[in-house]
Amino acid sequence: MVNWSDIDAVIFDVDGTLYDQPRLRAIMARKLLFQVLKKPWSWPEIRLLKDFRALRERLAHEPDIDLAQEQYQRIAAKHGVEPARVRAVVEKWMQRAPLPHLAACRRPGVRSFFRELAQRGIGIGVFSDYPARDKLSAMDLSAQVVICADDPQVNQLKPNPKGLLAVARELGAQPRRCLYIGDRAELDGEAAHRAGMACLIWEPRDTGRPDRFTSFEQLRRNLVGSNPSSEHTP
Ligand SMILES: [Mg+2]
């Protein structure tokens, strides 16, 4: 697990890490289906979203792209619409529509883990491939630094380490004293490795690997146990 005496800041991924992503996707799939049944002419929006999500997965493996431009332009060209139209659909369905459902999908123990970190003076940062501020508010979580891949100072997707390094810099923490917590080894783990940070990956079942964890309660117990004398510090 983690040697907490080596850690000054914890940086979190959001999607699939702080909340149950398959559960949220099931809720959103029902919402989208309802939308299509009610307004059949909105079917192109659903196809556009599917293509956008697939493109983002591919762009993660294209080095040094101009993410802010490419992600909307390529889908706009494919669907014969303006990039602003793609952006509006993505913001509506991928950023705003999920917000009311996020609290119900938040992983157990996340809030108390955040609280424990704050009480111990460990910095809290967030780096997500998608905009994260509203999602954090919807889950009643707060971090000192929140940066996403679309932000101008990053403009790159993981596994590019630029975003993680930007969060560490703003937190005033050395990368080697940061821990990144994510849910995808090939993206989160690789980004942390390139940034020179430790990393833990959430997994649904315990495989016994020291760089994996299955619950935030488990992480909190590990953190508290690392310094028993301060367990009762208010
Ligand atoms: Mg994730």
Side-chain angles (χ1 to χ4, degrees):
M1 200 40 100
V2 177
N3 186 355
W4 287 101
S5 61
D6 293 338
I7 300 299
D8 292 335
V10 177
I11 304 172
F12 295 89
D13 167 57
V14 175
D15 306 299
T17 297
L18 299 181
Y19 68 87
D20 182 339
Q21 197 166 28
R23 188 172 163 193
L24 183 73
R25 281 190 177 160
I27 293 170
M28 291 309 299
R30 280 198 298 274
K31 270 187 120 164
L32 287 165
L33 179 63
F34 185 69
Q35 166 84 3
V36 172
L37 290 174
K38 206 169 62 167
K39 300 177 182 173
W41 58 91
S42 63
W43 176 241
E45 286 190 6
I46 315 298
R47 282 178 43 239
L48 186 152
L49 286 168
K50 186 171 169 285
D51 286 345
F52 181 81
R53 191 180 284 159
L55 174 67
R56 292 270 300 207
E57 289 287 324
R58 291 198 302 277
L59 288 178
H61 302 289
E62 289 187 24
D64 301 323
I65 46 144
D66 181 351
L67 178 66
Q69 298 290 326
E70 295 281 334
Q71 61 182 346
Y72 299 124
Q73 277 177 358
R74 287 197 203 179
I75 299 298
K78 182 174 178 185
H79 287 258
V81 297
E82 289 298 314
R85 172 73 185 142
V86 178
R87 187 180 186 136
V89 172
V90 165
E91 285 178 356
K92 176 184 172 189
W93 285 109
M94 293 184 73
Q95 291 168 29
R96 290 198 303 276
L99 294 177
H101 309 288
L102 272 173
C105 297
R106 187 181 60 211
R107 290 204 189 282
V110 168
R111 289 188 69 213
S112 43
F113 183 59
F114 268 55
R115 254 196 318 271
E116 195 69 44
L117 292 171
Q119 282 172 4
R120 286 161 191 269
I122 296 174
I124 300 176
V126 163
F127 178 68
S128 172
D129 275 344
Y130 286 101
R133 285 180 193 282
D134 292 344
K135 289 181 183 170
L136 291 173
S137 299
M139 288 187 280
D140 200 14
L141 296 171
S142 63
Q144 290 148 278
V145 175
V146 180
I147 293 179
C148 81
D150 289 10
D151 286 344
Q153 80 263 40
V154 180
N155 204 22
Q156 298 289 324
L157 292 162
K158 293 175 282 191
N160 189 305
K162 210 172 164 185
L164 288 186
L165 292 170
V167 175
R169 197 163 49 243
E170 286 202 25
L171 284 169
Q174 294 176 30
R176 64 182 177 81
R177 296 195 57 88
C178 291
L179 168 68
Y180 189 46
I181 295 182
D183 69 310
R184 295 182 65 177
E186 77 282 13
L187 298 177
D188 300 317
E190 180 61 20
H193 174 69
R194 292 190 202 173
M197 295 180 185
C199 184
L200 285 176
I201 299 291
W202 178 86
E203 61 181 3
R205 278 169 299 281
D206 190 0
T207 54
R209 285 183 57 164
D211 57 349
R212 301 287 198 267
F213 74 104
T214 53
S215 80
F216 283 92
E217 282 103 345
Q218 176 194 358
L219 276 193
R220 184 181 167 278
R221 280 196 302 274
N222 184 269
L223 169 60
V224 170
S226 69
N227 186 3
S229 61
S230 61
E231 186 171 352
H232 301 295
T233 305

